[in-house]
Amino acid sequence: MVKERAHILVVGGGYVGMYTALRLQRKLRRELQRGEVEITVVTPDPYMTYQPFLPEAAAGSISPRHVVVPLRRVLDRCRIVIGEAGSIDHGKRTAALTTLATEEEGTGAQRLSYDELVLAPGSISRTLPVPGLAEHGIGFKTVEEAIGLRNHVIEQMDIASSTRDPAIRDAALTFVFVGGGYAGVEALGELEDMARYTARYYHNIRPEDMKWILVEASDRILPEVGEEMGRYTVTELRRRNIDVRLGTRLEACADRVAVLSDGARFPTRTVVWTAGVKPHPILAASDLPLNERGRLLCTPELTIEGTTHAWAAGDAAAVPDVTAGEPGKECAPNAQHALRQAKILGDNIAHSLRDEPLETYSHKYVGSVASLGLHKGVAHVYGRKLKGYPAWFMHRVYHLSRVPTFNRKARVLAEWILSGLFKREIVSLGSLEHPRAEFELAAGGKPPHTAPKDPNGSS
Ligand SMILES: Cc1cc2nc3c(=O)[nH]c(=O)nc-3n(C[C@H](O)[C@H](O)[C@H](O)COP(=O)(O)OP(=O)(O)OC[C@H]3O[C@@H](n4cnc5c(N)ncnc54)[C@H](O)[C@@H]3O)c2cc1C
């Protein structure tokens, strides 16, 4: 029984948003039935994205639909609102929401009142003022970006295969990735592997015709798997003819030329930017306290410091790492923490509504696994270091155990089994991005793909 009726507003439907709401649904089942509690989840997409599977989705090993989890099905006792919170006035306990309907009606943002706030909008790509980046860079955080990138890479191979101009061919077959964390390294590893395989179906493209370049500003990659495994990954990628440039920055990418700080210049139509993340800008549009890096200042109980009835976790939150033994150390922005924090967060909201003591979040980082392409990987988990096939296998087992819902586990497993029996998917469905093109042509209009190509090279 809760003290008084409560409306819980969850902003964000990612790891933290979905798992917190799921936990609340279970913990407050009777209160929800009696109407004493209401949970609203506001999120721009009707699904949660399992981001660690994005590189495999880009490589075609998993269908895009299976790397996302439908929120309406999982959170069947919550109200799901597809929209975005634009600002939060916690003093007045209100959030300004924009939904598809408010846009259609032209009424501006709606104000939604709440009693308890869970702020979990995650992070966005951390970009730098690199000339040309905003116009030509490609991100790798969403399922749309992952599938768009897959289509783009195959489309570049089609361009290279059909052009007579060696400069166009060279630029089309040059792929630059900036940032050597797991998103960049896994995306590069999976896509290079996919493109190498796909090349066998082109009569005039050999794998060695393609240039894959990884640019990393620090002197190591994959810090998540430790120094030794990071060094192994560099050696392994270089063995595959991938040009790994450590201590190097992208200085410009205007006019289809990537200019690096070591003086190298690569004509290219593909610059993938995975150089870290920063907290979501909505945090700055709230009256809640932030640290110097713009993350929400949180307590180990996952409340927002100096406030009541406000909670946060995940990439948006600076949660003290109580296992680190050094004051001021925060939990890193990763799924391992986000998932575990969400469970404690859900429990603590239930405790607080029932006037019970709160639990403290404590989790020691256990290491990480990364896939570098089919049957290739690297892992450093619970002190064990693995390379090659065993690491790749562990990566699959680990993520299969983690991807939410039995439905998604079964579908992903079925896809892996089928892809072991049949040849890899090499099709690009880039035309899905322009579904009206065919009809517009038939109706006498000008289809989008006959318009001049954008400078990024994607039609
Ligand atoms: C390619 C890739 C691979 C990764 N691999 C790993 C891995 O192997 N291991 C690991 O530990 N971590 C990995 N991560 C990191 C991990 O996915 C994140 O740390 C985790 O998703 C953070 O959870 P979150 O809930 O804070 O944010 P998210 O899961 O990003 O969720 C944020 C949610 O908020 C929504 N939102 C945004 N703005 C608003 C708004 N204004 N109003 C309402 N909702 C909003 C978003 O749409 C999203 O649904 C990877 C990340 C990427 C991009």
Side-chain angles (χ1 to χ4, degrees):
M1 181 81 160
V2 296
K3 289 176 291 176
E4 52 199 62
R5 201 177 177 285
H7 177 209
I8 305 169
L9 173 65
V10 180
V11 174
Y15 268 90
V16 173
M18 187 190 83
Y19 277 108
T20 303
L22 196 60
R23 195 77 168 180
L24 286 167
Q25 266 191 182
R26 290 194 190 133
K27 291 272 160 181
L28 300 172
R29 191 154 33 101
R30 270 171 306 191
E31 288 84 350
L32 279 161
Q33 274 164 2
R34 290 197 292 256
E36 293 166 3
V37 167
E38 189 189 349
I39 306 169
T40 303
V41 179
V42 178
T43 182
D45 304 302
Y47 50 78
M48 176 260 189
T49 304
Y50 189 75
Q51 289 172 335
F53 274 159
L54 292 181
E56 285 209 49
S61 309
I62 307 178
S63 313
R65 268 202 305 275
H66 300 159
V67 300
V68 298
V69 180
L71 293 176
R72 290 188 197 281
R73 183 178 302 159
V74 176
L75 303 176
D76 56 347
R77 274 160 279 166
C78 301
R79 187 174 148 230
I80 309 289
V81 176
I82 304 304
E84 282 186 36
S87 63
I88 309 265
D89 186 344
H90 189 63
K92 294 193 180 133
R93 305 279 193 275
T94 60
L97 303 189
T98 323
T99 64
L100 289 177
T102 57
E103 274 172 24
E104 196 68 24
E105 294 157 3
T107 49
Q110 279 172 0
R111 292 218 80 85
L112 185 71
S113 302
Y114 60 80
D115 302 300
E116 302 286 335
L117 172 72
V118 177
L119 195 45
S123 51
I124 59 167
S125 297
R126 179 165 45 87
T127 52
L128 297 172
V130 172
L133 184 64
E135 296 80 13
H136 309 310
I138 304 172
F140 199 80
K141 265 190 75 65
T142 65
V143 68
E144 294 82 0
E145 286 170 332
I147 303 308
L149 184 57
R150 169 189 172 76
N151 292 336
H152 174 83
V153 167
I154 299 176
E155 192 180 271
Q156 298 315 302
M157 296 176 78
D158 290 334
I159 292 171
S161 169
S162 49
T163 182
R164 291 190 191 152
D165 183 333
I168 293 182
R169 178 182 159 92
D170 196 35
L173 292 181
T174 301
F175 305 96
V176 178
F177 284 66
V178 186
Y182 41 43
V185 171
E186 285 194 300
L188 170 89
E190 290 283 352
L191 281 161
E192 188 272 342
D193 199 51
M194 182 272 293
R196 173 181 291 273
Y197 176 86
T198 305
R200 67 174 75 172
Y201 295 96
Y202 288 81
H203 69 283
N204 58 355
I205 299 181
R206 292 167 303 152
E208 50 277 26
D209 296 339
M210 292 187 269
K211 273 195 213 110
W212 292 81
I213 300 145
L214 178 63
V215 181
E216 165 57 45
S218 74
D219 59 357
R220 59 192 278 204
I221 61 169
L222 273 191
E224 297 83 358
V225 294
E227 216 169 317
E228 186 190 333
M229 291 293 101
R231 272 199 306 271
Y232 160 79
T233 310
V234 172
T235 312
E236 166 62 17
L237 295 179
R238 285 183 176 153
R239 194 188 59 72
R240 282 161 59 179
N241 229 2
I242 296 170
D243 182 353
V244 182
R245 291 175 182 242
L246 302 178
T248 309
R249 282 169 288 104
L250 176 74
E251 297 213 315
C253 61
D255 306 324
R256 288 188 180 166
V257 179
V259 181
L260 307 187
S261 58
D262 59 4
R265 298 168 68 86
F266 293 101
T268 178
R269 304 157 74 97
T270 313
V271 173
V272 183
W273 183 267
T274 54
V277 293
K278 64 179 181 190
H280 196 284
I282 189 203
L283 305 182
S286 75
D287 53 353
L288 295 162
L290 308 180
N291 73 1
E292 64 293 346
R293 271 177 290 166
R295 290 174 100 189
L296 289 160
L297 273 171
C298 288
T299 65
E301 290 74 33
L302 306 173
T303 59
I304 299 177
E305 259 184 39
T307 67
T308 51
H309 309 288
W311 312 78
D315 287 9
V319 177
D321 183 351
V322 296
T323 65
E326 49 176 300
K329 185 122 199 295
E330 294 165 18
C331 296
N334 60 46
Q336 205 175 110
H337 283 300
L339 172 74
R340 289 172 173 85
Q341 287 170 354
K343 290 184 178 159
I344 300 286
L345 176 43
D347 288 353
N348 276 351
I349 294 178
H351 289 320
S352 125
L353 294 176
R354 291 172 181 151
D355 242 346
E356 296 164 358
L358 302 185
E359 296 168 42
T360 297
Y361 176 71
S362 164
H363 168 69
K364 201 164 173 51
Y365 188 64
V366 298
S368 201
V369 287
S371 152
L372 304 175
L374 200 59
H375 305 160
K376 306 164 192 80
V378 59
H380 186 178
V381 204
Y382 294 112
R384 285 190 62 123
K385 296 171 191 160
L386 296 173
K387 308 168 182 170
Y389 188 91
W392 170 83
F393 188 72
M394 183 177 206
H395 170 266
R396 284 208 158 175
V397 172
Y398 174 77
H399 283 298
L400 193 65
S401 72
R402 293 285 152 183
V403 66
T405 80
F406 178 72
N407 177 315
R408 286 308 184 256
K409 290 184 204 308
R411 287 174 190 270
V412 168
L413 182 62
E415 279 196 287
W416 282 342
I417 293 170
L418 287 173
S419 61
L421 297 176
F422 299 105
K423 291 183 176 164
R424 285 178 82 152
E425 281 300 341
I426 59 158
V427 77
S428 148
L429 286 180
S431 51
L432 279 182
E433 287 157 35
H434 309 291
R436 296 196 64 243
E438 184 83 19
F439 184 76
E440 279 182 16
L441 187 65
K446 198 178 178 196
H449 62 256
T450 61
K453 293 237 171 199
D454 77 56
N456 188 33
S458 46
S459 56

